[in-house]
Amino acid sequence: MYLKESEVLKNIEASNKNSFKVKALVYSNFRLLQKLRALGHSWVRIAEGIQPCVDWDVKPDSIRAAFQSAVEYFSNPENHVLPEITNEPVKDVQPVKDAPRQDRPVVPAPVEDHVSVTSIQEKPTQPVQKPASPNKVKLIERAQYVREAGKPETGVRIDEPDDVEASIIQARRALKPATNTNQNSSDSSGEQGANTASESKRPKISTSLM
Amino acid sequence: MTATSPQQNTLYISCSDKGGVGKSEVCLLTITALDRAGIDFDYGEIDEIRRLSMVLDEKKTPLVSLKTSPKIDDQMRSQEDYIEFFNPVAALFSSPVSVLDLGGGVSTKFIEWAKISDLPEVLEDLDVRPCFMAIATPDALSFMAAVSTLRTTNLLFRDRADYVLVLNDILGAGFEIINDSPSMKKELDNLKETMGVRIIQIPHLKANKIITYARAYHYSAYEAWGMGTQVLNALKSGDDISTDNTLNAFIQGIGAGEKSRPELRLFLSQQLKTIGQWITQSQRAIADGLMLSRHQEGRDG
């Protein structure tokens, strides 16, 4: 079987994207996941618990892998943006009776009340440390260049806005006496474009910003 | 929502991957609201059909105008593709106030580029605060698409951005549908509570002859206003419009081909009044929701 390169690349990209989402979710809700594991819930059950809270497919294996990565990450003292992870078990946590003992983590941590991707503002500000993107430097340099060199000419500035209400009232006043006057007028010819109003070729119109 | 300090640059980004929710219309209203408030700004657009520059035309040219391919997935295959395509957006980071219109399907790609580029850190270094404006019509599908966009951007930018949900009542269904739906209401409350999302409601524009014509040709209400006023001004100044195909097509299209010039003036005036009032109302809703007065305060001192 021959694989189509573009198809494989597309799938890799999708996979990378999903991996980022899972990591962000797990790192942001690390303490809650620790608690759930301490309670003896399996990764399958945890994934099922998370699933309705987010709008994408949550796979137990992905959550588990991201959790292991988070454990390694937070085990580094420099990365302790969360409250301290202690080796003391949480006293008010009651493990599930039938849960396999070996699945329970050794470092249960304080408790989160709920799981939600929207609660990340309460979470560590920089859970994932990664090398700075080379593009970051490019972007900053580009923006600073525009700041220093000046922006390119962006055309005529917008006219002062008209007062819509006043303009309408004025139009109405002008119209009232005009309804009974001579309607024939074919004086100076307009200079507007001659495009036809069609969906394929939209007429060029003069808009006055309000 | 954290208020931007007057010294900080602000980048308003209109987003949502759902098409037909009025992203460009909201962008136009934002631009005209800024202009009305006397705030100097720049704008950019990333879209297959570059509508903003098409409408604003010679009034103001965009600082960034990127045309996406109809097959945007094929256009963005590698990180280098993203970087090459989106990096010109950086020109907007030098503007005190700027507006960026992301066309249908572009939001996801933009966020991907933002992730590749450490954009939250870049903007923080440059003292630019982004404000993501997710646009939705009051229906479950577009509502959830906008919510998803806000959540995704929040995952990346966290408290380094502001978040706004713009509910655009295109169909006249009203906004009650959200409060009446327990799940949508819960979602909305959650967004407000956890992300400080602000809500802007754009009222429904009731269809009249001009609006019906405009919609048939995919014009925005703002463009319809522009066309109507152009004809009205031509009539008021006594110009001959019989030779102008565009204006004649417009007059025929709104069913006023048989009217005399004075009758046409009255008719247009009445029709434009409704549109003008709606534009004013919508601009006010946006100005309040985006707290545009803070820019004014920043300028004043």
Side-chain angles (χ1 to χ4, degrees):
Chain A
M1 178 190 178
Y2 293 100
L3 295 169
K4 198 175 169 189
E5 185 186 344
S6 62
E7 204 59 32
V8 175
L9 283 171
K10 196 175 157 188
N11 292 337
I12 289 173
E13 192 186 317
S15 168
N16 282 341
K17 201 166 161 183
N18 194 46
S19 168
F20 170 79
K21 276 198 299 190
V22 174
K23 267 195 168 180
L25 179 70
V26 169
Y27 277 61
S28 303
N29 295 282
F30 183 62
R31 284 181 296 169
L32 171 64
L33 291 175
Q34 274 189 320
K35 182 198 168 188
L36 295 173
R37 291 295 290 160
L39 287 169
H41 294 293
S42 68
W43 287 115
V44 173
R45 292 281 169 266
I46 291 172
E48 283 173 354
I50 295 171
Q51 182 72 60
C53 307
V54 294
D55 55 357
W56 37 273
D57 191 25
V58 180
K59 291 190 172 62
D61 281 350
S62 308
I63 295 283
R64 181 176 51 75
F67 182 80
Q68 280 167 354
S69 156
V71 169
E72 282 174 31
Y73 176 80
F74 288 122
S75 65
N76 181 346
E78 287 180 7
N79 296 334
H80 269 207
V81 281
L82 286 171
E84 297 77 35
I85 298 171
T86 71
N87 287 322
E88 296 296 322
V90 176
K91 286 177 186 170
D92 59 349
V93 171
Q94 298 298 319
V96 174
K97 274 185 182 175
D98 300 330
R101 184 166 289 278
Q102 64 271 23
D103 277 355
R104 296 175 198 157
V106 288
V107 286
V111 172
E112 283 290 317
D113 290 335
H114 62 284
V115 58
S116 166
V117 281
T118 60
S119 61
I120 56 175
Q121 282 188 326
E122 301 156 14
K123 301 302 185 301
T125 50
Q126 284 184 312
V128 185
Q129 284 187 350
K130 54 183 175 26
S133 154
N135 197 36
K136 178 181 174 181
V137 181
K138 280 189 202 168
L139 281 175
I140 291 176
E141 283 176 355
R142 193 165 191 147
Q144 281 172 343
Y145 172 78
V146 176
R147 274 184 193 181
E148 287 161 17
K151 285 178 284 186
E153 180 56 57
T154 58
V156 182
R157 307 307 295 177
I158 295 171
D159 301 332
E160 280 300 306
D162 298 322
D163 187 316
V164 177
E165 304 285 350
S167 138
I168 294 291
I169 291 165
Q170 190 188 13
R172 286 177 70 91
R173 279 182 189 152
L175 282 164
K176 277 182 183 170
T179 47
N180 294 323
T181 58
N182 186 1
Q183 59 190 17
N184 188 19
S185 63
S186 56
D187 30 19
S188 60
S189 61
E191 292 180 353
Q192 285 87 354
N195 296 332
T196 305
S198 67
E199 197 171 336
S200 58
K201 191 173 185 183
R202 295 155 58 90
K204 191 173 180 177
I205 55 162
S206 163
T207 52
S208 67
L209 291 169
M210 293 163 296
Chain B
M1 183 176 185
T2 311
T4 315
S5 73
Q7 291 76 29
Q8 239 175 348
N9 291 359
T10 308
L11 171 63
Y12 296 105
I13 303 170
S14 154
C15 50
S16 183
D17 277 330
K18 175 91 170 59
V21 292
K23 282 191 288 288
S24 296
E25 181 88 67
V26 170
C27 255
L28 272 171
L29 289 166
T30 305
I31 281 175
T32 53
L34 284 165
D35 191 54
R36 200 177 179 83
I39 297 166
D40 193 21
F41 66 92
D42 285 298
Y43 77 97
E45 59 188 346
I46 308 176
D47 200 357
E48 191 187 333
I49 303 164
R50 291 175 280 187
R51 284 196 84 167
L52 276 189
S53 53
M54 195 187 283
V55 176
L56 293 172
D57 201 22
E58 80 278 1
K59 295 287 177 189
K60 190 169 175 75
T61 50
L63 203 56
V64 178
S65 181
L66 305 177
K67 183 173 170 59
T68 54
S69 154
K71 291 182 177 176
I72 194 166
D73 284 333
D74 292 342
Q75 198 176 359
M76 313 277 168
R77 285 169 180 266
S78 65
Q79 286 202 356
E80 287 69 31
D81 291 342
Y82 280 89
I83 289 169
E84 190 182 342
F85 181 77
F86 281 108
N87 270 18
V89 170
L92 287 175
F93 304 161
S94 62
S95 304
V97 179
S98 52
V99 180
L100 178 60
D101 183 20
L102 301 181
V106 178
S107 299
T108 305
K109 301 293 176 192
F110 179 84
I111 294 164
E112 190 65 25
W113 168 73
K115 197 171 70 185
I116 292 167
S117 312
D118 291 340
L119 193 63
E121 289 85 357
V122 169
L123 294 181
E124 197 170 49
D125 286 356
L126 294 167
D127 212 12
V128 178
R129 189 169 180 84
C131 175
F132 290 96
M133 302 167 67
I135 324 293
T137 48
D139 65 88
L141 194 63
S142 78
F143 178 80
M144 289 315 293
V147 168
S148 172
T149 303
L150 286 175
R151 281 183 170 171
T152 313
T153 50
N154 184 250
L155 271 174
L156 187 62
F157 284 83
R158 299 170 182 269
D159 58 358
R160 286 179 284 195
D162 294 323
Y163 306 92
V164 176
L165 177 64
V166 183
L167 297 172
N168 187 12
D169 189 10
I170 288 181
L171 299 172
F175 302 108
E176 296 75 25
I177 190 171
I178 291 171
N179 287 326
D180 291 347
S181 157
S183 58
M184 285 164 80
K185 173 85 168 52
K186 190 178 167 191
E187 199 70 69
L188 200 59
D189 290 342
N190 193 280
L191 287 177
K192 285 181 192 170
E193 191 185 327
T194 59
M195 288 165 54
V197 170
R198 294 177 74 89
I199 311 294
I200 294 176
Q201 295 187 343
I202 306 292
H204 177 58
L205 172 57
K206 205 174 170 187
N208 59 18
K209 293 281 185 187
I210 293 181
I211 289 302
T212 306
Y213 171 81
R215 285 180 183 156
Y217 285 90
H218 299 279
Y219 289 113
S220 66
Y222 183 79
E223 287 171 284
W225 164 269
M227 257 188 269
T229 48
Q230 191 180 350
V231 176
L232 191 59
N233 289 338
L235 290 170
K236 280 199 286 191
S237 57
D239 290 347
D240 177 19
I241 52 173
S242 61
T243 55
D244 190 312
N245 292 341
T246 304
L247 298 187
N248 277 310
F250 172 76
I251 293 165
Q252 295 294 333
I254 61 173
E258 302 301 315
K259 292 187 188 296
S260 66
R261 284 175 72 101
E263 283 170 346
L264 184 56
R265 280 183 68 177
L266 179 60
F267 178 71
L268 281 174
S269 164
Q270 288 165 340
Q271 298 267 312
L272 287 172
K273 182 181 180 181
T274 314
I275 305 172
Q277 284 172 338
W278 176 83
I279 290 175
T280 309
Q281 272 181 353
S282 305
Q283 283 174 334
R284 282 182 191 147
I286 287 176
D288 291 345
L290 299 182
M291 298 188 293
L292 294 185
S293 54
R294 73 189 180 205
H295 293 294
Q296 205 63 33
E297 286 159 17
R299 285 154 53 102
D300 294 343

